[in-house]
Amino acid sequence: MIAASLRSLVMAASSNSYSYNLIGPTRNLNNLIQQLRLYKAPRFGGGVSDEDDEVDERGKVFSQMGLGESAMRPMPPAFKSQDKRAAVLVCLFEGDHGDLRVFLTKRSSNLSSHSGEVALPGGKADEGDADDVATALREAEEEIGLNPSLVNVVTVLEPFLSKKLHRVVPVIGILSDWRSFKPVANVSEVEAIFDAPLEMFLKDENRRAEEREWMGAKYLIHFFDYKADDQKYLIWGMTASILINTASVVYQRPPSLILAQSIEDLHILTSWFLHLYYFLILTPLM
């Protein structure tokens, strides 16, 4: 039954962003929760470099680059020196039209670094954090006032690496009753809280990309232009990469923008095909 329901969700998600509204929000979110709980991200050992020039004064990691950790094989020797982690919360909810949406923030213009940039709630791990989930939930509560009790954490995706080899772990949470969430921005850190449709990160609309080279490998920096409540936002770099991968996992299809032009593109395609194979071939029918 699980495999069959996942196949139905794959076909529905492949049609359009309003497919979630066909059988009601509760059932569809429950199906999504089941799907994501079965997801197992690739796991790789090692620590990270101890360079901190991409970490702002609030402990958030920024980078124009965001590669999945499995794309970096073999890992550079410096990566194995120390384990410094950060986590972000990809909080999904079902909008009024049945489409899946994600909460994002615009950084305060008063910050000394990365001011005005768009980011997911999150930051560096504190010593008191039990794990990556605890880090992401704590940071989300501090930044946007999201009570952890409202979030159903369903899975953790593969870590992403910044250009300085900081490891950033995406934690996927579902907000079943988004109306119970009353956003409160931490004004010292967050200028605005907004949401965007997750499926947009699979499309080529309002997107551009720049090719760069790092450690002998070419990669793409993705830029998404988005407008909400008459405000224009630019979602790019690691944040865009994490959301592209999240959307690929959730909707069970690769981005239309992917042409396998870079190491990042190959990573996304490989992850998607392996994930689809696991669910549709290896999962026994029940």
Side-chain angles (χ1 to χ4, degrees):
M1 292 179 64
I2 293 178
S5 65
L6 288 175
R7 290 189 180 92
S8 298
L9 189 60
V10 168
M11 292 186 290
S14 299
S15 58
N16 56 65
S17 61
Y18 297 100
S19 60
Y20 279 87
N21 210 30
L22 293 177
I23 55 176
T26 301
R27 183 176 177 183
N28 282 292
L29 283 181
N30 285 338
N31 287 343
L32 178 61
I33 289 169
Q34 289 182 23
Q35 171 194 335
L36 293 178
R37 281 181 174 164
L38 289 174
Y39 176 78
K40 299 296 182 183
R43 294 185 180 274
F44 298 93
V48 296
S49 165
D50 57 3
E51 298 181 61
D52 285 326
D53 56 339
E54 288 181 308
V55 182
D56 71 3
E57 62 267 40
R58 298 290 175 175
K60 188 179 291 293
V61 178
F62 285 85
S63 178
Q64 64 181 14
M65 188 189 80
L67 295 179
E69 188 172 326
S70 64
M72 291 300 298
R73 301 290 108 192
M75 294 304 301
F79 186 81
K80 300 177 182 179
S81 62
Q82 193 176 359
D83 191 10
K84 294 179 106 176
R85 300 178 71 91
V88 294
L89 180 65
V90 184
C91 187
L92 305 176
F93 68 97
E94 196 170 46
D96 291 333
H97 298 289
D99 56 330
L100 282 178
R101 305 184 70 85
V102 57
F103 285 111
L104 292 159
T105 68
K106 180 180 179 181
R107 306 282 289 164
S108 171
S109 57
N110 296 323
L111 294 174
S112 61
S113 61
H114 305 287
S115 60
E117 291 194 14
V118 170
L120 290 158
K124 288 177 62 178
D126 283 352
E127 290 185 3
D129 293 338
D131 51 24
D132 298 316
V133 172
T135 299
L137 292 177
R138 174 183 55 76
E139 288 283 342
E141 185 173 25
E142 293 175 1
E143 291 182 23
I144 63 175
L146 178 57
N147 191 321
S149 65
L150 298 177
V151 182
N152 185 354
V153 174
V154 289
T155 194
V156 173
L157 300 187
E158 175 183 2
F160 274 68
L161 302 179
S162 72
K163 199 169 185 178
K164 297 298 183 182
L165 297 181
H166 290 95
R167 178 188 283 157
V168 180
V169 179
V171 175
I172 310 300
I174 305 296
L175 187 62
S176 298
D177 182 14
W178 64 268
R179 290 177 178 82
S180 63
F181 171 44
K182 308 299 181 184
V184 179
N186 181 342
V187 295
S188 64
E189 185 174 357
V190 176
E191 184 174 302
I193 303 169
F194 67 99
D195 58 86
L198 182 65
E199 195 177 23
M200 69 175 274
F201 299 100
L202 296 180
K203 300 178 180 179
D204 210 16
E205 302 169 7
N206 302 316
R207 185 199 72 94
R208 63 187 187 277
E210 296 178 7
E211 189 176 88
R212 304 286 176 86
E213 187 170 328
W214 180 69
M215 297 180 65
K218 293 182 179 181
Y219 67 95
L220 292 179
I221 304 175
H222 298 282
F223 301 81
F224 291 88
D225 294 304
Y226 182 66
K227 186 176 182 180
D229 299 326
D230 296 324
Q231 297 293 320
K232 294 181 179 180
Y233 301 99
L234 178 63
I235 306 167
W236 72 291
M238 177 178 285
T239 299
S241 295
I242 290 174
L243 291 172
I244 289 172
N245 190 50
T246 300
S248 297
V249 170
V250 168
Y251 285 98
Q252 295 288 300
R253 71 177 191 266
S256 59
L257 55 91
I258 294 303
L259 298 175
Q261 296 175 343
S262 68
I263 188 172
E264 179 186 357
D265 298 339
L266 289 172
H267 159 66
I268 293 175
L269 279 176
T270 301
S271 296
W272 181 79
F273 281 118
L274 287 175
H275 186 69
L276 187 63
Y277 176 79
Y278 173 80
F279 278 119
L280 300 188
I281 305 298
L282 297 183
T283 302
L285 292 173
M286 298 179 62

mmCIF file of all heavy atoms in Angstrom, residues 226-245:
data_model
loop_
_atom_site.group_PDB
_atom_site.id
_atom_site.type_symbol
_atom_site.label_atom_id
_atom_site.label_comp_id
_atom_site.label_asym_id
_atom_site.label_seq_id
_atom_site.Cartn_x
_atom_site.Cartn_y
_atom_site.Cartn_z
ATOM 1 N N TYR A 226 11.880 36.288 -7.456
ATOM 2 C CA TYR A 226 10.554 36.001 -6.920
ATOM 3 C C TYR A 226 9.953 37.272 -6.345
ATOM 4 O O TYR A 226 10.654 38.102 -5.756
ATOM 5 C CB TYR A 226 10.638 34.924 -5.830
ATOM 6 C CG TYR A 226 9.297 34.536 -5.257
ATOM 7 C CD1 TYR A 226 8.342 33.898 -6.049
ATOM 8 C CD2 TYR A 226 8.973 34.815 -3.935
ATOM 9 C CE1 TYR A 226 7.110 33.549 -5.538
ATOM 10 C CE2 TYR A 226 7.742 34.463 -3.412
ATOM 11 C CZ TYR A 226 6.806 33.834 -4.217
ATOM 12 O OH TYR A 226 5.574 33.486 -3.721
ATOM 13 N N LYS A 227 8.638 37.417 -6.520
ATOM 14 C CA LYS A 227 7.925 38.595 -6.015
ATOM 15 C C LYS A 227 6.785 38.149 -5.126
ATOM 16 O O LYS A 227 5.995 37.271 -5.492
ATOM 17 C CB LYS A 227 7.392 39.434 -7.181
ATOM 18 C CG LYS A 227 6.753 40.751 -6.758
ATOM 19 C CD LYS A 227 6.340 41.568 -7.975
ATOM 20 C CE LYS A 227 5.736 42.902 -7.569
ATOM 21 N NZ LYS A 227 5.327 43.703 -8.762
ATOM 22 N N ALA A 228 6.694 38.743 -3.942
ATOM 23 C CA ALA A 228 5.617 38.432 -3.000
ATOM 24 C C ALA A 228 5.216 39.703 -2.277
ATOM 25 O O ALA A 228 6.074 40.430 -1.759
ATOM 26 C CB ALA A 228 6.066 37.378 -1.996
ATOM 27 N N ASP A 229 3.922 39.978 -2.241
ATOM 28 C CA ASP A 229 3.409 41.178 -1.565
ATOM 29 C C ASP A 229 4.126 42.434 -2.045
ATOM 30 O O ASP A 229 4.544 43.289 -1.243
ATOM 31 C CB ASP A 229 3.544 41.038 -0.048
ATOM 32 C CG ASP A 229 2.747 39.871 0.503
ATOM 33 O OD1 ASP A 229 1.657 39.593 -0.047
ATOM 34 O OD2 ASP A 229 3.212 39.237 1.463
ATOM 35 N N ASP A 230 4.286 42.530 -3.364
ATOM 36 C CA ASP A 230 4.916 43.693 -4.009
ATOM 37 C C ASP A 230 6.384 43.870 -3.643
ATOM 38 O O ASP A 230 6.962 44.929 -3.889
ATOM 39 C CB ASP A 230 4.147 44.986 -3.671
ATOM 40 C CG ASP A 230 2.727 44.967 -4.215
ATOM 41 O OD1 ASP A 230 2.534 44.411 -5.323
ATOM 42 O OD2 ASP A 230 1.824 45.488 -3.540
ATOM 43 N N GLN A 231 6.972 42.857 -3.040
ATOM 44 C CA GLN A 231 8.394 42.893 -2.716
ATOM 45 C C GLN A 231 9.141 41.905 -3.615
ATOM 46 O O GLN A 231 8.673 40.801 -3.851
ATOM 47 C CB GLN A 231 8.631 42.536 -1.250
ATOM 48 C CG GLN A 231 8.011 43.508 -0.260
ATOM 49 C CD GLN A 231 8.657 44.879 -0.303
ATOM 50 O OE1 GLN A 231 9.886 45.003 -0.425
ATOM 51 N NE2 GLN A 231 7.844 45.915 -0.192
ATOM 52 N N LYS A 232 10.298 42.324 -4.104
ATOM 53 C CA LYS A 232 11.103 41.474 -4.959
ATOM 54 C C LYS A 232 12.214 40.817 -4.149
ATOM 55 O O LYS A 232 12.874 41.467 -3.343
ATOM 56 C CB LYS A 232 11.697 42.283 -6.119
ATOM 57 C CG LYS A 232 10.646 42.815 -7.089
ATOM 58 C CD LYS A 232 11.294 43.580 -8.230
ATOM 59 C CE LYS A 232 10.255 44.084 -9.215
ATOM 60 N NZ LYS A 232 10.890 44.841 -10.334
ATOM 61 N N TYR A 233 12.405 39.522 -4.384
ATOM 62 C CA TYR A 233 13.433 38.771 -3.668
ATOM 63 C C TYR A 233 14.304 38.020 -4.668
ATOM 64 O O TYR A 233 13.817 37.562 -5.713
ATOM 65 C CB TYR A 233 12.799 37.773 -2.698
ATOM 66 C CG TYR A 233 11.916 38.398 -1.656
ATOM 67 C CD1 TYR A 233 10.525 38.414 -1.813
ATOM 68 C CD2 TYR A 233 12.453 38.977 -0.508
ATOM 69 C CE1 TYR A 233 9.695 38.981 -0.845
ATOM 70 C CE2 TYR A 233 11.635 39.549 0.460
ATOM 71 C CZ TYR A 233 10.264 39.547 0.280
ATOM 72 O OH TYR A 233 9.456 40.109 1.231
ATOM 73 N N LEU A 234 15.564 37.852 -4.330
ATOM 74 C CA LEU A 234 16.489 37.052 -5.120
ATOM 75 C C LEU A 234 16.935 35.865 -4.270
ATOM 76 O O LEU A 234 17.573 36.033 -3.236
ATOM 77 C CB LEU A 234 17.703 37.877 -5.548
ATOM 78 C CG LEU A 234 18.774 37.124 -6.354
ATOM 79 C CD1 LEU A 234 18.194 36.629 -7.680
ATOM 80 C CD2 LEU A 234 19.990 38.008 -6.602
ATOM 81 N N ILE A 235 16.583 34.666 -4.726
ATOM 82 C CA ILE A 235 16.935 33.431 -4.020
ATOM 83 C C ILE A 235 18.056 32.777 -4.813
ATOM 84 O O ILE A 235 17.871 32.410 -5.977
ATOM 85 C CB ILE A 235 15.719 32.494 -3.920
ATOM 86 C CG1 ILE A 235 14.531 33.239 -3.290
ATOM 87 C CG2 ILE A 235 16.055 31.245 -3.108
ATOM 88 C CD1 ILE A 235 13.203 32.519 -3.434
ATOM 89 N N TRP A 236 19.213 32.637 -4.207
ATOM 90 C CA TRP A 236 20.358 32.176 -4.992
ATOM 91 C C TRP A 236 21.337 31.389 -4.121
ATOM 92 O O TRP A 236 21.141 31.208 -2.926
ATOM 93 C CB TRP A 236 21.054 33.375 -5.640
ATOM 94 C CG TRP A 236 21.830 34.244 -4.687
ATOM 95 C CD1 TRP A 236 21.313 35.050 -3.707
ATOM 96 C CD2 TRP A 236 23.247 34.372 -4.606
ATOM 97 N NE1 TRP A 236 22.322 35.681 -3.033
ATOM 98 C CE2 TRP A 236 23.525 35.286 -3.560
ATOM 99 C CE3 TRP A 236 24.316 33.810 -5.319
ATOM 100 C CZ2 TRP A 236 24.831 35.640 -3.203
ATOM 101 C CZ3 TRP A 236 25.611 34.173 -4.964
ATOM 102 C CH2 TRP A 236 25.846 35.087 -3.923
ATOM 103 N N GLY A 237 22.405 30.911 -4.780
ATOM 104 C CA GLY A 237 23.491 30.250 -4.069
ATOM 105 C C GLY A 237 23.070 28.969 -3.389
ATOM 106 O O GLY A 237 22.289 28.170 -3.912
ATOM 107 N N MET A 238 23.603 28.764 -2.181
ATOM 108 C CA MET A 238 23.323 27.543 -1.454
ATOM 109 C C MET A 238 21.842 27.379 -1.151
ATOM 110 O O MET A 238 21.302 26.260 -1.232
ATOM 111 C CB MET A 238 24.122 27.482 -0.157
ATOM 112 C CG MET A 238 23.816 26.251 0.684
ATOM 113 S SD MET A 238 24.775 26.127 2.199
ATOM 114 C CE MET A 238 26.360 25.631 1.542
ATOM 115 N N THR A 239 21.164 28.464 -0.811
ATOM 116 C CA THR A 239 19.735 28.381 -0.524
ATOM 117 C C THR A 239 18.975 27.836 -1.723
ATOM 118 O O THR A 239 18.121 26.950 -1.587
ATOM 119 C CB THR A 239 19.183 29.758 -0.118
ATOM 120 O OG1 THR A 239 19.847 30.207 1.071
ATOM 121 C CG2 THR A 239 17.682 29.694 0.134
ATOM 122 N N ALA A 240 19.282 28.336 -2.912
ATOM 123 C CA ALA A 240 18.629 27.851 -4.127
ATOM 124 C C ALA A 240 18.957 26.382 -4.372
ATOM 125 O O ALA A 240 18.076 25.592 -4.735
ATOM 126 C CB ALA A 240 19.055 28.699 -5.325
ATOM 127 N N SER A 241 20.211 25.991 -4.154
ATOM 128 C CA SER A 241 20.612 24.598 -4.378
ATOM 129 C C SER A 241 19.867 23.647 -3.445
ATOM 130 O O SER A 241 19.422 22.569 -3.853
ATOM 131 C CB SER A 241 22.122 24.444 -4.179
ATOM 132 O OG SER A 241 22.843 25.168 -5.154
ATOM 133 N N ILE A 242 19.747 24.035 -2.176
ATOM 134 C CA ILE A 242 19.030 23.200 -1.218
ATOM 135 C C ILE A 242 17.567 23.046 -1.617
ATOM 136 O O ILE A 242 16.987 21.952 -1.547
ATOM 137 C CB ILE A 242 19.151 23.783 0.207
ATOM 138 C CG1 ILE A 242 20.588 23.622 0.723
ATOM 139 C CG2 ILE A 242 18.158 23.129 1.160
ATOM 140 C CD1 ILE A 242 20.842 24.297 2.055
ATOM 141 N N LEU A 243 16.950 24.138 -2.082
ATOM 142 C CA LEU A 243 15.540 24.083 -2.448
ATOM 143 C C LEU A 243 15.327 23.309 -3.748
ATOM 144 O O LEU A 243 14.293 22.648 -3.913
ATOM 145 C CB LEU A 243 14.973 25.503 -2.546
ATOM 146 C CG LEU A 243 14.873 26.221 -1.199
ATOM 147 C CD1 LEU A 243 14.487 27.679 -1.389
ATOM 148 C CD2 LEU A 243 13.869 25.521 -0.287
ATOM 149 N N ILE A 244 16.269 23.358 -4.672
ATOM 150 C CA ILE A 244 16.178 22.542 -5.882
ATOM 151 C C ILE A 244 16.186 21.067 -5.504
ATOM 152 O O ILE A 244 15.372 20.265 -5.990
ATOM 153 C CB ILE A 244 17.340 22.859 -6.841
ATOM 154 C CG1 ILE A 244 17.160 24.250 -7.469
ATOM 155 C CG2 ILE A 244 17.429 21.806 -7.953
ATOM 156 C CD1 ILE A 244 18.362 24.713 -8.264
ATOM 157 N N ASN A 245 17.099 20.693 -4.620
ATOM 158 C CA ASN A 245 17.188 19.291 -4.209
ATOM 159 C C ASN A 245 15.953 18.866 -3.421
ATOM 160 O O ASN A 245 15.425 17.760 -3.607
ATOM 161 C CB ASN A 245 18.444 19.081 -3.375
ATOM 162 C CG ASN A 245 18.734 17.611 -3.127
ATOM 163 O OD1 ASN A 245 18.752 16.801 -4.055
ATOM 164 N ND2 ASN A 245 18.952 17.253 -1.877
#
